[in-house]
Amino acid sequence: MVHHYSMYINGQFVDSQSGRTTSSTCPADGKTIATFPMADATDVDLAVKAAERAFRHNYWSQSHSAQDRAEILHNIAKGIRNDIERLAKIEVMDSGKTMTDVSTVDMHWAADCFEYYAGLTTQIYGEVLPVPGDVLDFTLREPLGVCAAIVAWNYPIMFAAWKIAPALATGNTIIFKPALLTSLSALELAGIIHRSGAPDGVVNIVTGSGSEIGEALCHHPGISKIAFTGSTETGRKVMRMAASTVKKVSLELGGKSPHIIFDDIEKLDNAVGAALLGIFFNAGQTCIAGSRLYVQERIYEDFKSELLRRTRLIPVGNGMDDDVRMGSIISEDQMNLILQYIESGKREGAKLLAGGRRLTQGELSRGFYIAPTIFECEHDDYTIVREEIFGPVLCLMKFSSEDEVIQRANHSPYGLAAGVWTSNIKRGLRLAKQLNAGQVWINQYLMISNFAPHGGFKQSGYGKDLSKYAIDQFTQLKNVYVELCDEESYITTFE
Ligand code: NAD
């Protein structure tokens, strides 16, 4: 018997008004795991009304002090930690990720994120400004109201934490829409939130398609802000739709990040390891994947042979298996899209060095697996070098000088992240300044922290997730000017 999940609206576990449902299929083996509601605009409207009531009538940012909100966030973190193994298993089945990654990274990180923002709730306030005259001028940092979050499928529980935690810390109410392909961990999180002490309507979780409920959220006049994580193409649509009611928007979008290896590195092995992690972690389905790898010419051949040797050793398979390091692709459609990119690489003349095909041996035939793939690219004009593939496909390129690689790295509409390997710290810092990306790693790749802002430049979006800077995305500043002089000495400057 397949488990049926309900949505979470106004503190109640409910089905969609239409009664429509959909099912979640495990991309690793094709089995149906669960069913859940397919909401439409009517359900979105109910969620918005509940969130408005919770925000306006109960005014939860005032009825619940910063300490109360911190306690709720701590309770959510505890709820995740107490149930990690079970939650991780559901996430793995829903997404095709590996159990190792989800149980040791994603779940802990989500819990850490709720705790991090619990710690910030008491640090959110305005300031007194030195306006001249007999005046007291100060700012109030206020919540926005009802926020909506719409997210991608590649890190489901983490994205729920990244959006819900800062929204609650700042006193907003929120409607969270997970990706249709990976809704289960958010629906599990609903149960944890229900037991956390959060008042009814403060968090609402609705499930369904982007074209139906995503658009309904973007158009709804009751919503003040859309926090979006997804593709650049959808991000543009979200901006356009949000413009009709001038909603605030933050966009975490796509990337095609450069990973640069200079010939002065101390240990080639470490840089090779980072290059592999950078592209093959989560089967390449990571917005900050280091999908353009630039290696300096003097070490190029040695680097390439070690990279290929270790790529061939990566165990690919069902993520439930402890030995597997790379799981399945999220869906058949996504797998076919990646295979089309691989074909375009071959057609346009890039040299296939590893992988380049679907894996179908034994049990793998039931799921959607692609072999870790590396192309050697003579130049940067191939489609596979320019466009985000969002799969385990690495473009390997040679460069000769620092100036050349900076220019090539920056030659992209995206600007999400970049990595630099060098033992020359001045060079590393020069690149950190010159690379046009929201995040730069030196002698490291893919590391993100709750303490540090995450978000892109250029067409990778704007606004920041994580860190104290996300507080700015969920608050607005009000200025209060108080005249202090006595009535009799008050001077008007008009008539
Ligand atoms: P997507 O844009 O297709 O979908 C993202 C979300 O938007 C989903 O919840 C989807 O249902 C919803 N959506 C789709 N159409 C919509 C519409 N018309 N109106 C409103 N909502 C709509 O992206 P995806 O395929 O789920 O995710 C992959 C993309 O996300 C990649 O480009 C990746 O780089 C990006 N991403 C970025 C970050 C980041 O932090 N910058 C993180 C993860 C993923």
Side-chain angles (χ1 to χ4, degrees):
M1 178 75 177
V2 167
H3 181 73
H4 178 71
Y5 284 88
S6 300
M7 298 188 291
Y8 187 57
I9 297 178
N10 200 25
Q12 311 280 317
F13 293 90
V14 294
D15 282 323
S16 61
Q17 293 291 303
S18 69
R20 273 196 308 154
T21 61
T22 186
S23 59
S24 165
T25 307
C26 175
D29 59 15
K31 288 188 188 138
T32 301
I33 319 161
T35 57
F36 59 92
M38 258 321 247
D40 61 22
T42 314
D43 305 291
V44 164
D45 195 49
L46 288 174
V48 176
K49 290 208 166 78
E52 275 178 328
R53 264 195 312 276
F55 185 76
R56 300 237 159 75
H57 302 311
N58 305 335
Y59 206 0
W60 104 280
S61 66
Q62 291 186 7
S63 65
H64 286 68
S65 69
Q67 283 97 329
D68 296 336
R69 282 181 274 130
E71 192 182 332
I72 289 167
L73 291 169
H74 276 301
N75 289 344
I76 298 173
K78 268 187 232 142
I80 296 172
R81 287 200 202 289
N82 290 342
D83 207 8
I84 281 192
E85 283 303 303
R86 194 184 65 84
L87 292 172
K89 203 171 157 199
I90 291 165
E91 187 89 308
V92 169
M93 288 194 293
D94 203 21
S95 65
K97 286 164 168 284
T98 69
M99 190 65 184
T100 316
D101 293 342
V102 176
S103 62
T104 60
V105 181
D106 300 33
M107 288 295 157
H108 286 280
W109 201 355
D112 288 351
C113 182
F114 280 104
E115 275 163 5
Y116 174 81
Y117 283 102
L120 275 192
T121 55
T122 54
Q123 307 298 313
I124 301 163
Y125 42 73
E127 58 189 348
V128 175
L129 303 170
V131 171
D134 202 2
V135 160
L136 175 64
D137 193 297
F138 58 92
T139 55
L140 297 173
R141 189 170 277 279
E142 297 187 343
L144 300 173
V146 180
C147 300
I150 301 173
V151 301
W153 41 259
N154 52 335
Y155 292 93
I157 188 79
M158 278 167 39
F159 292 156
W162 291 16
K163 308 293 189 195
I164 295 173
L168 299 196
T170 44
N172 294 282
T173 57
I174 186 164
I175 297 153
F176 182 78
K177 182 199 122 32
L180 188 58
L181 290 170
T182 53
S183 296
L184 302 191
S185 57
L187 294 171
E188 285 285 343
L189 188 64
I192 293 172
I193 290 168
H194 190 66
R195 296 186 291 276
S196 71
D200 294 349
V202 164
V203 179
N204 305 273
I205 296 179
V206 290
T207 49
S209 75
S211 56
E212 256 184 301
I213 60 169
E215 296 199 5
L217 287 166
C218 293
H219 285 301
H220 202 294
I223 290 175
S224 307
K225 183 218 160 78
I226 305 283
F228 178 78
T229 296
S231 63
T232 297
E233 193 187 336
T234 311
R236 280 191 202 100
K237 284 189 201 161
V238 167
M239 274 178 94
R240 275 196 294 271
M241 290 185 281
S244 63
T245 46
V246 196
K247 291 180 177 52
K248 289 170 186 58
V249 177
S250 51
L251 300 172
E252 299 293 346
L253 307 178
K256 189 76 189 177
S257 299
H259 194 172
I260 301 165
I261 320 288
F262 283 97
D263 63 9
D264 60 9
I265 46 171
E266 276 166 15
K267 285 192 81 180
L268 188 124
D269 273 4
N270 290 348
V272 170
L276 294 171
L277 180 82
I279 187 65
F280 298 130
F281 187 76
N282 207 29
Q285 302 166 116
T286 301
C287 54
I288 50 178
S291 49
R292 291 187 288 148
L293 183 64
Y294 293 98
V295 180
Q296 201 160 16
E297 56 195 354
R298 192 172 64 82
I299 60 164
Y300 183 84
E301 289 304 327
D302 288 348
F303 194 98
K304 182 170 98 178
S305 62
E306 186 59 8
L307 185 74
L308 291 178
R309 187 187 70 77
R310 288 170 63 177
T311 297
R312 293 193 185 104
L313 298 177
I314 295 172
V316 181
N318 189 322
M320 294 304 274
D321 179 343
D322 284 346
D323 296 329
V324 160
R325 292 303 298 126
M326 202 177 100
S328 73
I329 303 302
I330 186 71
S331 66
E332 188 166 16
D333 284 351
Q334 183 65 17
M335 178 187 71
N336 288 336
L337 192 67
I338 298 166
L339 291 171
Q340 279 170 28
Y341 272 114
I342 290 173
E343 285 313 307
S344 92
K346 292 183 196 163
R347 210 173 41 246
E348 292 177 16
K351 188 172 167 193
L352 183 65
L353 300 178
R357 63 184 200 289
R358 180 179 181 181
L359 296 174
T360 51
Q361 68 272 26
E363 300 276 295
L364 300 193
S365 63
R366 299 212 206 125
F368 313 121
Y369 297 91
I370 291 186
T373 296
I374 301 182
F375 278 102
E376 185 169 53
C377 302
E378 273 173 18
H379 55 76
D380 300 346
D381 295 332
Y382 302 108
T383 307
I384 53 171
V385 181
R386 287 185 288 108
E387 295 185 9
E388 183 185 47
I389 299 174
F390 221 55
V393 181
L394 179 67
C395 296
L396 173 65
M397 278 127 352
K398 195 188 289 181
F399 75 93
S400 46
S401 73
E402 186 178 317
D403 285 348
E404 173 208 334
V405 81
I406 291 170
Q407 189 269 327
R408 290 171 69 184
N410 284 339
H411 188 66
S412 167
Y414 296 112
L416 194 53
V420 181
W421 284 77
T422 175
S423 58
N424 176 345
I425 190 62
K426 284 190 181 172
R427 166 181 273 167
L429 293 174
R430 270 198 304 274
L431 264 87
K433 283 176 79 172
Q434 291 185 53
L435 289 170
N436 207 348
Q439 183 149 33
V440 179
W441 295 280
I442 300 175
N443 298 332
Q444 184 52 274
Y445 202 87
L446 217 62
M447 292 299 155
I448 288 190
S449 160
N450 285 313
F451 291 79
H454 165 75
F457 289 1
K458 300 195 273 184
Q459 293 185 36
S460 291
Y462 56 81
K464 297 293 173 191
D465 270 340
L466 301 178
S467 78
K468 63 178 185 174
Y469 300 101
I471 298 298
D472 298 337
Q473 318 291 320
F474 284 97
T475 53
Q476 52 196 346
L477 281 182
K478 180 182 282 173
N479 180 236
V480 182
Y481 181 107
V482 187
E483 183 62 59
L484 295 180
C485 72
D486 290 335
E487 292 261 332
E488 54 272 21
S489 48
Y490 182 78
I491 305 166
T492 56
T493 50
F494 195 54
E495 76 266 359

